[in-house]
């Protein structure tokens, strides 16, 4: 158990809908990272937050947004969902904004029908 | 368990043998290189990292080699055990004020008892 929690574990929704994925980092970790894992694209970095501020951005679609709250939990919002958004979404946390060691949560499996 | 990827390169080794997993990376400016292990149904787990100014780093039963000339990274696992069966990802990180991590496609390691 990495200490990173993600909810929900599974999510099934329809195209055009909006969902929110939640992540709680390990106790004491200030950085949160979001990743998408799909069969055709592999593991893709989406975005990083450090202590409430966005620090690095990857291949995140404009339909997707994230934020980190004062209690350091983070939410990833996915809107206008398409079939191709079906994937595993992982959250990871690290102690600092530049820490190499990231601890991954168990993931949320999103299925868009 | 859940399938991480259906068309990954596969390495099959006998229990007790040494395993070598290879990876080619793309960005000469990457600061760190990392190996992750992902077991079925779980998030990636940090194994070992190496800074870009190093050639070799050893951990417990694992060694990472970095060849910057040909942009090649390898992970050696000594005395491979059935519990080592998983998908292994190499990753490179860019320090952009935050940490942007780019993952490779992954290699599935299968250990025969």
């Amino acid at each position: 158990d990495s200490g990173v929690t993600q909810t929900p574990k599974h999510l099934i929704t329809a195209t055009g809908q909006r969902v929110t994925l939640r992540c709680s980092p390990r106790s004491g970790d200030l950085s949160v990272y979001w990743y998408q894992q799909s069969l055709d694209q592999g593991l893709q970095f989406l975005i990083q937050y450090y202590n409430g501020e966005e620090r690095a951005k990857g291949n995140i679609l404009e339909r997707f947004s994230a934020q980190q709250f004062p209690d350091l939990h983070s939410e990833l919002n996915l809107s206008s969902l398409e079939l191709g958004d079906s994937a595993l979404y992982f959250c990871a946390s690290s102690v600092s904004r530049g820490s190499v060691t990231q601890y991954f949560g168990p993931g949320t499996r999103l299925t868009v029908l | 368990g859940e399938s991480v990827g259906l068309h990954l390169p596969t390495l099959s080794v006998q229990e007790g043998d040494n395993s070598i997993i290879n990876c080619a990376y793309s960005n000469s400016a990457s600061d760190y290189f990392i190996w992750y292990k992902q077991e079925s149904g779980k998030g990636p787990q940090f194994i070992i990292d190496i800074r870009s100014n190093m050639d070799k780093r050893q951990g417990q039963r694992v060694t990472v080699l970095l060849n910057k000339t040909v942009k090649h990274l390898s992970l050696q696992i000594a005395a491979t055990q059935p519990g080592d069966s998983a998908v292994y990802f190499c990753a490179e990180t860019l320090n952009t004020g935050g940490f942007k991590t780019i993952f490779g496609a992954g290699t599935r390691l299968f250990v025969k008892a």
Side-chain angles (χ1 to χ4, degrees):
Chain A
D1 185 357
S2 66
V4 177
T5 59
Q6 290 186 248
T7 56
K9 189 169 183 176
H10 299 278
L11 196 49
I12 301 174
T13 188
T15 55
Q17 296 299 304
R18 172 189 167 95
V19 297
T20 298
L21 312 182
R22 183 188 169 102
C23 168
S24 292
R26 293 188 325 150
S27 177
D29 284 0
L30 300 178
S31 267
V32 170
Y33 310 76
W34 285 98
Y35 295 87
Q36 179 193 60
Q37 186 173 39
S38 60
L39 289 178
D40 58 343
Q41 296 288 328
L43 259 168
Q44 299 246 327
F45 168 71
L46 296 178
I47 198 163
Q48 177 200 2
Y49 278 82
Y50 172 76
N51 207 20
E53 293 186 6
E54 182 185 308
R55 283 295 180 180
K57 212 166 185 176
N59 301 321
I60 187 166
L61 300 171
E62 284 191 14
R63 299 184 286 109
F64 296 0
S65 65
Q67 55 184 326
Q68 186 179 28
F69 295 86
D71 66 352
L72 301 177
H73 91 271
S74 178
E75 292 181 355
L76 179 66
N77 300 297
L78 314 176
S79 62
S80 302
L81 285 167
E82 301 175 359
L83 296 177
D85 297 328
S86 295
L88 270 167
Y89 291 84
F90 288 105
C91 166
S93 73
S94 67
V95 171
S96 67
R97 68 181 179 189
S99 176
V100 174
T101 307
Q102 296 181 22
Y103 298 88
F104 281 74
T108 293
R109 176 166 287 283
L110 173 66
T111 303
V112 182
L113 301 175
Chain B
E2 293 173 339
S3 178
V4 172
L6 298 179
H7 303 294
L8 296 175
T10 298
L11 175 66
S12 185
V13 301
Q14 199 69 38
E15 181 181 1
D17 287 351
N18 296 334
S19 303
I20 300 176
I21 302 172
N22 296 302
C23 174
Y25 64 91
S26 57
N27 198 324
S28 301
S30 293
D31 299 291
Y32 281 90
F33 301 88
I34 310 163
W35 282 98
Y36 284 92
K37 171 186 180 183
Q38 187 174 24
E39 296 175 282
S40 183
K42 296 184 178 180
Q45 178 186 1
F46 174 90
I47 302 173
I48 191 168
D49 67 86
I50 186 168
R51 196 164 179 170
S52 59
N53 61 356
M54 297 172 65
D55 298 320
K56 179 179 179 178
R57 190 170 186 211
Q58 289 185 291
Q60 189 176 19
R61 277 203 310 121
V62 295
T63 301
V64 56
L65 299 177
L66 175 63
N67 185 330
K68 294 181 286 291
T69 303
V70 294
K71 294 184 183 176
H72 183 267
L73 190 68
S74 70
L75 177 71
Q76 301 177 4
I77 304 174
T80 314
Q81 302 167 2
D84 294 326
S85 294
V87 176
Y88 289 81
F89 293 95
C90 66
E92 51 186 307
T93 64
L94 289 164
N95 192 338
T96 60
F99 250 15
K100 181 177 178 180
T101 303
I102 302 167
F103 280 81
T107 297
R108 189 183 302 278
L109 175 65
F110 179 67
V111 182
K112 295 176 285 187

